[in-house]
């Protein structure tokens, strides 16, 4: 069966998707210095947006998001968390979706389902920055990393979605080991502290942070990381598997 052009059918069912339900993903990565997120730019529109998509009739919401993340990052087994549902009337701007489709070379049929109102479920993902080769979708020119404090102007309510995702991530810092998804398997205390400072947006006293992390009992300490100056070599840590 030929692939259906989803811009050329009137209903979501004809396209193979659920009606009025979408998802948007805030994909966090850490480059060793700064927290970053993936942003897409649509063809010929100068519109920037979070990677997102729709839910197929024969898949769960979580599976739809994992599929989208795999297509954008090439990775499986990504840490994923649903954090909020966005459904305000202000996010319904059919002219924006029509611009995106036309910018990508599509002329939607009259009453195209993509121009309907959508409620979006927000997810955030934590991934290893070094493992990703970002890939744009068919409507986008690019899918690139941006520093969390240097984002382009985002379309519709996507800036609000990013803010809510970051708020949730901060709230989870003491509940879940978010660092283990942003760092390599083994890391220095300084690298771990930099992740926390990037998420919180503030500096933390080194001795206070180290004392707090060691007191949690969640780290394994390994050999020192030698770099030619043995007296300055830091210890290397990893998260305990059952932490």
């Amino acid at each position: 069966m030929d692939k259906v052009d989803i811009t050329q059918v009137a209903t979501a069912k004809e396209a193979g998707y659920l009606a009025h339900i979408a998802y948007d993903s805030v994909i966090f990565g850490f480059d060793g210095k700064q927290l970053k997120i993936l942003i897409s730019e649509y063809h010929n529109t100068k519109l920037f947006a979070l990677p997102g998509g729709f839910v197929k009739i024969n898949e769960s919401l979580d599976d739809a998001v994992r599929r989208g993340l795999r297509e954008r990052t090439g990775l499986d087994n990504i840490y994923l968390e649903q954090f909020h549902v966005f459904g305000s009337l202000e996010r319904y701007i059919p002219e924006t979706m029509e611009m995106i489709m036309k910018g990508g070379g599509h002329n939607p049929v009259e009453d195209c389902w993509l121009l309907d109102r959508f409620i979006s479920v927000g997810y955030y993902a934590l991934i290893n920055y070094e493992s990703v080769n970002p890939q744009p979708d068919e409507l986008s020119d690019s899918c690139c990393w941006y520093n969390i404090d240097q984002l382009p102007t985002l379309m519709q309510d996507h800036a609000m979605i990013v803010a809510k995702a970051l708020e949730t991530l901060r709230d989870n810092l003491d509940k879940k080991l978010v660092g283990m998804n942003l760092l390599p398997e083994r890391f220095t205390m300084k690298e771990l502290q930099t992740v926390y400072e990037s998420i919180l947006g503030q500096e933390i006293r080194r001795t206070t942070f180290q004392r707090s992390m060691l007191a949690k009992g969640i780290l394994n300490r390994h050999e020192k990381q030698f770099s030619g100056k043995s007296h300055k070599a830091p210890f290397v840590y990893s998260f305990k598997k059952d932490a």
Side-chain angles (χ1 to χ4, degrees):
M1 180 178 178
D2 293 335
K3 184 177 179 181
V4 175
D5 183 344
I6 62 175
T7 70
Q8 297 302 303
V9 293
T11 70
K13 185 176 181 180
E14 290 175 306
Y17 292 90
L18 298 178
H20 308 294
I21 296 292
Y23 65 85
D24 287 297
S25 300
V26 182
I27 305 172
F28 291 106
F30 180 69
D31 69 352
K33 296 180 179 180
Q34 294 176 304
L35 190 68
K36 295 176 176 285
I37 64 172
L38 278 179
I39 299 293
S40 296
E41 181 180 4
Y42 288 115
H43 293 310
N44 305 313
T45 63
K46 297 183 180 179
L47 291 175
F48 294 87
L50 295 168
F54 308 104
V55 184
K56 294 180 179 179
I57 291 174
N58 62 350
E59 69 182 347
S60 70
L61 175 58
D62 284 354
D63 285 344
V65 179
R66 291 190 184 97
R67 170 174 53 81
L69 289 173
R70 184 169 56 251
E71 292 170 354
R72 298 288 75 74
T73 68
L75 301 180
D76 287 304
N77 301 317
I78 293 174
Y79 178 89
L80 190 65
E81 182 155 334
Q82 183 184 132
F83 65 91
H84 198 71
V85 176
F86 299 86
S88 70
L89 290 173
E90 288 74 15
R91 77 183 322 271
Y92 175 50
I93 310 175
E95 295 81 7
T96 299
M97 191 62 198
E98 185 173 14
M99 182 190 305
I100 291 170
M101 287 189 286
K102 289 184 176 179
H106 299 274
N107 288 307
V109 297
E110 186 176 357
D111 297 325
C112 180
W113 68 285
L114 291 167
L115 302 178
D116 290 342
R117 180 186 172 195
F118 281 86
I119 291 174
S120 183
V121 183
Y123 282 77
Y124 74 76
L126 304 175
I127 62 178
N128 189 325
Y129 174 87
E130 299 294 338
S131 301
V132 179
N133 180 22
Q135 298 294 322
D137 60 26
E138 61 181 16
L139 294 176
S140 302
D141 288 319
S142 64
C143 184
C144 300
W145 290 107
Y146 287 83
N147 292 341
I148 191 68
D149 58 353
Q150 295 178 328
L151 300 179
T153 300
L154 300 178
M155 60 176 275
Q156 294 180 323
D157 60 351
H158 286 206
M160 184 188 302
I161 295 174
V162 171
K164 185 65 177 178
L166 186 57
E167 176 188 334
T168 307
L169 182 60
R170 288 170 174 169
D171 288 343
N172 284 343
L173 269 176
D174 289 331
K175 304 172 187 175
K176 300 178 182 179
L177 304 181
V178 298
M180 68 189 307
N181 302 285
L182 297 173
L183 290 166
E185 183 176 353
R186 295 193 177 189
F187 47 84
T188 64
M189 186 66 71
K190 182 178 180 180
E191 289 171 331
L192 180 61
Q193 180 174 341
T194 304
V195 169
Y196 273 68
E197 290 178 334
S198 297
I199 293 171
L200 293 172
Q202 63 185 39
E203 293 185 358
I204 307 172
R205 186 180 177 87
R206 182 182 63 82
T207 53
T208 302
F209 178 80
Q210 180 168 315
R211 188 182 307 114
S212 173
M213 294 305 300
L214 293 177
K216 293 178 188 292
I218 59 177
L219 298 176
N220 289 316
R221 191 170 78 174
H222 304 281
E223 72 283 354
K224 288 187 175 183
Q225 185 182 73
F226 291 99
S227 59
K229 297 181 179 180
S230 59
H231 64 289
K232 291 186 178 181
F235 283 104
V236 176
Y237 296 87
S238 66
F239 285 107
K240 292 181 178 179
K241 297 301 182 182
D242 57 349

